[in-house]
Amino acid sequence: AQKVTQAQTEISVVEKEDVTLDCVYETRDTTYYLFWYKQPPSGELVFLIRRNSFDEQNEISGRYSWNFQKSTSSFNFTITASQVVDSAVYFCALRNDFNKFYFGSGTKLNVKP
Amino acid sequence: EAQVTQNPRYLITVTGKKLTVTCSQNMNHEYMSWYRQDPGLGLRQIYYSMNVEVTDKGDVPEGYKVSRKEKRNFPLILESPSPNQTSLYFCASSLTSGTLNYGYTFGSGTRLTVV
């Protein structure tokens, strides 16, 4: 069975705090792809990052960083020095080699000024 | 600009009145899919299509129909909408090439209310 779990339903932080959004996945496939999407209050879904199962390198993009660990089946997302504009719902997703997507239930991040 | 275009953005309709939500992509993507998003349930797949004339059920297909007569278009049809189909709907497309597996490009969403 394939599954993506985002245990944090909602997180509130004060601006400039660092925050980590957790994502744990289950799959028996050896080839798979992991994604993070952002859904701001306006509602659209914005692609943030893609990782394939053979690439465990961490990635940093500005204030965003991602930690992929196959040993713990986790693909966590950290925002450094959070800003109000980071307030959104964040979805983690897994895509298997048969092009089936599995989405987590999302984590709502509230960044307060 | 590469994009997935959904229309309409907002729709209020009455129970039983057939409606179609259109979805069109300009990226020559093979794979297209429809999702509905409900509070606490995340994104659930309704139908997907691997290519022209190839469609298949997702996790919650009841009450919906789709067609894929052209590569760029993938309309979602509600033959007899009911209030439990009130939701936020997203169309998405992607490539399906094997070695470079891209994520979805999503449409802007359609907020449907059935009264």
Side-chain angles (χ1 to χ4, degrees):
Chain A
Q2 326 234 17
K3 187 179 175 183
V4 176
T5 302
Q6 295 179 256
Q8 303 151 308
T9 306
E10 188 164 352
I11 301 174
S12 292
V13 298
V14 177
E15 209 170 18
K16 297 186 184 175
E17 283 185 21
D18 298 347
V19 57
T20 295
L21 309 183
D22 298 331
C23 173
V24 174
Y25 62 92
E26 293 175 32
T27 182
R28 292 184 180 177
D29 295 341
T30 53
T31 301
Y32 52 91
Y33 306 85
L34 298 166
F35 302 85
W36 276 94
Y37 288 88
K38 175 183 180 180
Q39 186 177 41
S42 51
E44 72 272 22
L45 284 157
V46 179
F47 167 79
L48 293 178
I49 190 170
R50 172 188 67 252
R51 261 287 173 270
N52 72 51
S53 52
F54 302 108
D55 183 3
E56 279 194 81
Q57 282 188 331
N58 291 332
E59 174 124 355
I60 298 175
S61 176
R63 296 183 297 106
Y64 294 172
S65 62
W66 291 268
N67 184 332
F68 175 29
Q69 291 195 324
K70 287 179 76 170
S71 60
T72 56
S73 297
S74 64
F75 187 42
N76 296 337
F77 173 31
T78 298
I79 302 174
T80 303
S82 59
Q83 299 176 1
V84 173
V85 293
D86 296 325
S87 295
V89 179
Y90 292 86
F91 290 97
C92 180
L94 177 147
R95 184 177 193 176
N96 66 16
D97 219 19
F98 297 98
N99 295 305
K100 172 77 174 172
F101 266 86
Y102 300 84
F103 282 89
S105 54
T107 297
K108 183 176 183 182
L109 175 64
N110 302 306
V111 182
K112 300 174 184 174
Chain B
E1 181 189 351
Q3 60 185 1
V4 176
T5 303
Q6 264 180 260
N7 280 298
R9 288 292 306 275
Y10 301 92
L11 179 60
I12 302 175
T13 189
V14 296
T15 300
K17 186 177 180 182
K18 180 179 178 179
L19 67 91
T20 299
V21 184
T22 63
C23 174
S24 180
Q25 50 94 5
N26 61 1
M27 297 165 282
N28 203 35
H29 285 171
E30 301 95 351
Y31 188 93
M32 296 186 76
S33 185
W34 277 101
Y35 286 85
R36 61 177 289 173
Q37 182 182 6
D38 302 290
L41 297 176
L43 289 153
R44 295 181 293 169
Q45 191 177 46
I46 303 170
Y47 269 94
Y48 64 96
S49 169
M50 298 288 285
N51 216 321
V52 177
E53 302 291 0
V54 180
T55 63
D56 212 342
K57 296 177 181 178
D59 301 314
V60 289
E62 295 77 21
Y64 305 94
K65 283 175 57 176
V66 293
S67 68
R68 188 95 182 269
K69 297 189 171 98
E70 306 162 284
K71 198 171 187 178
R72 63 183 292 128
N73 295 323
F74 190 46
L76 178 69
I77 303 156
L78 285 72
E79 295 268 2
S80 182
S82 62
N84 65 11
Q85 292 178 297
T86 293
S87 187
L88 177 59
Y89 291 85
F90 287 99
C91 180
S93 74
S94 76
L95 293 168
T96 58
S97 56
T99 54
L100 283 176
N101 202 307
Y102 296 93
Y104 277 135
T105 300
F106 283 94
S108 300
T110 296
R111 189 166 292 281
L112 172 66
T113 303
V114 184
V115 298

